[in-house]
Amino acid sequence: MDTDYDAIVLGTGLKECIISGLLSVDGLKVLHIDRNNYYGGDSASLNLVQLWERFRPGQTPPKSLGSSRDYNVDMVPKFLMANGNLVKVLVHTDVVKYLEFKSVDGSYVVNKSRMEKVPATDMEALRSPLLGLLEKNRVRKFLSYIQKWDPSNPAPQGGLDLQRMSMAELYKYYAVNEMTVDFIGHALALHTNDQYMHQPAAPTAEKIKLYYTSLTRFEGTKSPYIYPMYGLGELPQAFARLSAVYGGTYMLAKPDAKVVYEGGKAVGVTSENETAKAKLVVGDPSYFPDKVRKTSQVVRAMCLMSHPIPNTDNSHSVQIILPQKQVNRKSDIYVFCCSYSHNVAPKDKWIAFVSTTVETSNPEQELSSGLALLGVIDEKFVEVSDLYEPLSDGKQDKCFISRGYDATSHFETTANDVLDMYQRIQGRPLDLSEKDPSKTQTT
Amino acid sequence: MYGGQPQTIKVVLLGEGRVGKTSLAQRYVRSSFNEGQAATVQAAFFTKAVRVQGQEIEVALWDTAGQEKFHSLGPIYYRDAHAALLVFDITDTDSFKRVKRWVDELHAMAGERCQLVIAANKQDLQHRSVSEEEAQEFAASQGAAYFQTSAKTGLGLEELFTALLSSVLDSLKDQRLHAAQGMQTTGRRHGGLVVASQDSISERKSSTCC
């Protein structure tokens, strides 16, 4: 370990592994360390034994659940938007070749306590019981405007300037009703709360476009989401492999790994009386307790079940959004379910996750309307995690720290944080238009 | 078989550092490539198209990328591997002793149907320190096929891979038969998306279990 590196990365969560991979591809000499003896940090997928170790130490999982290794239970459940930035990074780095993805069966939204399919196509919108006849026409006009709107052109388009007008004003222009606003903002644009309403319309319009381009990216899919076989824990490992292929060195199980500072700057990492020097240190907030602040909390329930979620057409994988207004909250509740069809559980077992941003002193209670949708739950684990953000951008102290994984149901904010970190470290943005610029792999 | 695409067979390389894992892979893959195809320093994933038992096959050969050095190969490496090629150096007793550890690791991480092949590598060197009998006996005790190889001369490699791929194909036929009889099988399931490039709009319609 007593060697000099260009960069040391602490923690093998998804964000850290992507950065590690990108820096190694750029030719930097990278040392990547984790205090745990497994990959993934907070974004790992655990088997039954690991799950029990974490939540019920000293107890053993019941035999009825089947084999421990057939389970891959995500600690940060999220789906990938098929045309989102994470998929672009996966393609750019060619990391997709280490992974297999499958589309997610269904996308639902709760409206007036009823579970409704999110209309995915024009045809579905026409049939959807979510919208009345006149409303259907207004929604169609609204969506057709968004589809034609070009985000790369800053000028007003069709007489509307989305850079200046707020989203509330745009909704008003198309005279769509409140229920539709709820549905578009939360089930299509995937906002977690209503703060976006009074901000410029352009970013929300882009989010709606992303929903549609994701939906049409692959033929015959019923939702804009994709998910890796064997769970999200595969993603950090795949990027770690990329980093290793480009010369990155991996050391797991270093519980005492600590950043070494000199004159307020990070200069290396020490573990087991050895010190590795580096020009910069990257890591998740847990490795930099003095350099982060707590912003909020997320509560997540992981539920093992022996049946699909009721009223989802027996979907083997599904997302259900409970928009905040429907459940009298400030932030949405997300339900996410996957099963043996994505190889995350043995045959005839399902894993459902319910999560939201914490608003009260009784976080578990806040999940109740989501948990109520699930039917019989065999085993339930609830975790409240603190979200941290870095105090500074790292340019001065050479500490490039990621943010925690928020309550959103997909990876767009995760990918944006990674792209931002990359730009801060390398001083230039990652060009996602080029595919695998170094082209050194024989495939 | 993915709707007309050739069957992909995943083979993982295992063994201590310096036993010749990468050299074996490069030797095997390069000989079938055009002479002009240069192997690169960072290559850790090789593919080769071959024909075995009259069937088109794509071999995906995974190398450890040095992650074995500090025991940091994650489960993804073993995921859905059809076969593991365990390599030791006949001039290095330690590398042979540690083959046992890799077999244990494999049993813990890979599926039951993963075919195991042990390669006694560096046969071109004179001063061997691992006895042929001992190595063969060990391989037999683990139900593993055993081959003497040299990445330098190419000795034993065609035979090794032909046998390895044939036994994988036999195992797959066996699994399909079981699947047809309604028994549960392991390994890759159905309908994965091909997330290859921005303009690819395709989905593997279905696949037989492999």
Side-chain angles (χ1 to χ4, degrees), chain A residues 370-390:
Chain A
L371 290 167
L373 300 173
L374 304 186
V376 179
I377 297 167
D378 298 338
E379 300 285 345
K380 184 175 77 180
F381 308 87
V382 178
E383 189 168 62
V384 177
S385 7
D386 295 335
L387 282 189
Y388 293 95
E389 66 177 20

Side-chain angles (χ1 to χ4, degrees), chain B residues 161-188:
Chain B
F161 276 96
T162 305
L164 179 150
L165 296 173
S166 295
S167 80
V168 168
L169 287 182
D170 289 345
S171 164
L172 290 175
K173 274 180 207 148
D174 195 39
Q175 283 176 60
R176 279 191 203 106
L177 201 64
H178 282 85
Q181 289 164 353
M183 289 170 68
Q184 205 189 336
T185 56
T186 55
R188 294 201 174 215

Side-chain angles (χ1 to χ4, degrees), chain A residues 260-324:
Chain A
V260 180
Y261 298 94
E262 254 172 42
K265 275 188 182 156
V267 292
V269 169
T270 172
S271 167
E272 290 158 15
N273 299 320
E274 288 181 72
T275 302
K277 296 212 155 162
K279 296 180 187 108
L280 59 100
V281 179
V282 182
D284 73 52
S286 69
Y287 290 90
F288 303 89
D290 303 333
K291 292 186 169 286
V292 293
R293 72 172 151 245
K294 190 172 140 182
T295 53
S296 58
Q297 288 184 310
V298 180
V299 56
R300 299 184 176 101
M302 295 130 224
C303 307
L304 308 183
M305 314 197 299
S306 304
H307 58 84
I309 296 179
N311 307 312
T312 59
D313 202 13
N314 289 323
S315 289
H316 284 93
S317 53
V318 68
Q319 171 173 279
I320 307 161
I321 293 175
L322 294 86
Q324 36 134 21

Side-chain angles (χ1 to χ4, degrees), chain B residues 90-109:
Chain B
I90 58 162
T91 69
D92 177 358
T93 334
D94 281 347
S95 79
F96 176 65
K97 282 187 190 144
R98 299 185 76 164
V99 160
K100 177 81 179 83
R101 197 176 66 81
W102 286 109
V103 172
D104 292 343
E105 176 91 358
L106 198 66
H107 286 318
M109 306 293 278

Side-chain angles (χ1 to χ4, degrees), chain A residues 9 18 23 50 65 90-91 99 138 283 323 400 402 419:
Chain A
V9 182
I18 297 176
L23 296 183
Q50 292 169 320
L65 291 175
L90 280 161
V91 171
L99 299 161
R138 292 191 282 261
F400 297 91
S402 61
L419 295 175

Side-chain angles (χ1 to χ4, degrees), chain A residues 162-182:
Chain A
L162 300 201
Q163 310 291 343
R164 303 191 73 156
M165 74 194 297
S166 72
M167 200 58 205
E169 287 167 328
L170 184 64
Y171 286 138
K172 205 171 160 204
Y173 180 87
Y174 281 96
V176 291
N177 71 28
E178 203 183 330
M179 206 281 301
T180 303
V181 168
D182 230 23

